[in-house]
Amino acid sequence: MESRKQPSVVVIGGGTGMPVLLRGLKDLPIDLTALVTVADDGGSTGRLRNEMAIPAPGDIRNVIAALSDAEPMLLELFQHRFTVGNGLSGHSMGNLLLAAMTSVTGNFFTGIQEISRVLNVKGEIYPISNDSMSLHAKMEDGTIVSGESNIPLANKRIEKVYLSPQPVQPLPDAVNAINNADLVVVAPGSLYTSILPNMIIPQIDVALSKTKANVVYVCNVMTQAGETTGYTAADHVQAIRGHIGGGCVDSVVVHNEPISKHVRQVYAEENAAPVIYDTERLLGMGLQIIEGDIIDSSRTTLRHDTKKIAKLLYSLIDQAV
């Protein structure tokens, strides 16, 4: 009797939310693929992009670290950021390694594969595109703001985001991964600057709408100043649908426990507030709502709890496969 193949789970995203999900998922009996944004342009990543004409390495670096089973010291080295006031200051070692491996292999994706092999990464990591790209936002007042790191700073309501230069070519492996997935997870993170840059890429948008997989959006727990001020859970999903069409998100995961007063106060200083889950509107959009206590309550900065969210997502695969 042939053994049943492991279910295929694709996680799409970038920023801080994605590694948290991946750390929990990597130890489960699944074939895991991470599709990672390359539109970042801040800090070390931005300098390397400009100087070496490579796609943004920063989010990829954090995903490699999350999925790696390397020795802790090697990972610490990989994530080390130079602080000395010289030409290396502000650069992270992992970004430099990715830039170097891209030079050695002549290809960003091949560079990622080689470093993943060296650091014993579980699962596949695909940049959403092999091309260097820039993110732009058209604001509701008609102004255009260019650069991923500048968009939230404008502090205006965003109408839509788009990429240049066009056409952006998706990595074929990324499209295939979505087409063949049993579960696609849209990671939490900055909605307009980490999540949507992946989803609006040609062919990726179509694949998300057509895949047989359940596409699950893990909704942010807090709003983000300059991006989602005042947004409810349905507003988050509506922004995604407004960019890539109605059939692209099937389910939404929401945190259903109250957030402590102390944590709310910390976030209020950054003009952030808990995301309200407007259940009626979500149901009216035809979404399956998956509720759970999925926050790591031991921290003042809110993060999804790696183990809790992995367990909840894994339970969805049993229904899907």
Side-chain angles (χ1 to χ4, degrees), residues 288-301:
Q288 178 194 16
I289 303 174
I290 301 137
E291 295 183 76
D293 174 11
I294 47 173
I295 292 302
D296 179 353
S297 50
S298 64
R299 307 164 52 109
T300 49
T301 47

Side-chain angles (χ1 to χ4, degrees), residues 10-25:
V10 171
V11 181
I12 185 165
T16 52
M18 192 174 190
V20 176
L21 294 198
L22 294 172
R23 274 190 207 99
L25 290 169

Side-chain angles (χ1 to χ4, degrees), residues 49-69:
R49 274 188 57 170
N50 295 337
E51 289 164 22
M52 301 192 62
I54 61 168
D59 288 316
I60 297 271
R61 183 192 83 243
N62 287 328
V63 166
I64 289 172
L67 290 177
S68 167
D69 271 345

Side-chain angles (χ1 to χ4, degrees), residues 69-78:
D69 271 345
E71 291 294 320
M73 179 53 84
L74 193 55
L75 273 185
E76 200 178 319
L77 176 68
F78 185 68

Side-chain angles (χ1 to χ4, degrees), residues 10-319:
V10 171
V11 181
I12 185 165
T16 52
M18 192 174 190
V20 176
L21 294 198
L22 294 172
R23 274 190 207 99
L25 290 169
K26 76 172 181 183
D27 295 323
L28 298 175
I30 56 175
D31 287 331
L32 184 57
T33 302
L35 309 184
V36 191
T37 183
V38 287
D40 187 10
D41 64 358
S44 163
T45 280
R47 284 160 60 199
L48 288 170
R49 274 188 57 170
N50 295 337
E51 289 164 22
M52 301 192 62
I54 61 168
D59 288 316
I60 297 271
R61 183 192 83 243
N62 287 328
V63 166
I64 289 172
L67 290 177
S68 167
D69 271 345
E71 291 294 320
M73 179 53 84
L74 193 55
L75 273 185
E76 200 178 319
L77 176 68
F78 185 68
Q79 289 286 54
H80 175 72
R81 193 174 289 278
F82 293 95
T83 52
V84 191
N86 58 28
L88 284 176
S89 61
H91 276 310
S92 95
M93 188 66 196
N95 287 356
L96 295 172
L97 279 171
L98 278 162
M101 197 62 97
T102 303
S103 286
V104 169
T105 62
N107 182 293
F108 185 59
F109 174 44
T110 314
I112 293 166
Q113 286 183 303
E114 288 302 314
I115 286 185
S116 296
R117 204 167 49 80
V118 171
L119 289 180
N120 200 18
V121 158
K122 293 177 86 169
E124 299 289 341
I125 300 172
Y126 298 141
I128 203 79
S129 172
N130 234 342
D131 300 334
S132 193
M133 63 180 84
S134 296
L135 186 69
H136 311 273
K138 184 183 179 205
M139 302 300 180
E140 283 185 359
D141 66 2
T143 54
I144 305 284
V145 177
S146 296
E148 182 263 359
S149 55
N150 297 322
I151 290 168
L153 301 178
N155 230 345
K156 294 179 175 181
R157 286 189 76 80
I158 298 166
E159 185 180 305
K160 67 168 188 172
V161 288
Y162 59 95
L163 297 162
S164 72
Q166 290 287 358
V168 172
Q169 296 298 327
L171 194 75
D173 300 278
V175 178
N176 292 338
I178 295 169
N179 287 335
N180 298 321
D182 295 306
L183 181 72
V184 176
V185 182
V186 180
S190 301
L191 180 61
Y192 288 101
T193 53
S194 288
I195 307 306
L196 279 167
N198 289 316
M199 301 177 85
I200 60 177
I201 288 179
Q203 296 177 53
I204 297 289
D205 54 356
V206 175
L208 285 167
S209 295
K210 290 195 168 172
T211 179
K212 68 182 189 310
N214 182 4
V215 180
V216 183
Y217 170 48
V218 181
C219 193
N220 294 340
V221 180
M222 302 298 282
T223 62
Q224 183 178 353
E227 290 207 29
T228 54
T229 303
Y231 273 41
T232 65
D235 290 331
H236 281 75
V237 177
Q238 191 52 54
I240 294 171
R241 287 184 168 181
H243 278 77
I244 63 167
C248 57
V249 176
D250 305 307
S251 313
V252 60
V253 173
V254 296
H255 175 65
N256 65 356
E257 290 294 316
I259 290 157
S260 76
K261 187 178 175 188
H262 170 64
V263 170
R264 288 205 312 271
Q265 284 171 338
V266 170
Y267 273 84
E269 289 168 21
E270 298 172 18
N271 294 324
V275 170
I276 293 163
Y277 300 119
D278 38 355
T279 312
E280 296 296 313
R281 209 172 131 211
L282 290 167
L283 291 171
M285 295 165 82
L287 291 159
Q288 178 194 16
I289 303 174
I290 301 137
E291 295 183 76
D293 174 11
I294 47 173
I295 292 302
D296 179 353
S297 50
S298 64
R299 307 164 52 109
T300 49
T301 47
L302 282 180
R303 288 279 178 271
H304 284 86
D305 184 292
T306 303
K307 296 263 187 304
K308 287 181 191 170
I309 190 73
K311 189 176 171 191
L312 187 142
L313 290 169
Y314 188 65
S315 74
L316 300 180
I317 305 169
D318 294 341
Q319 302 169 26

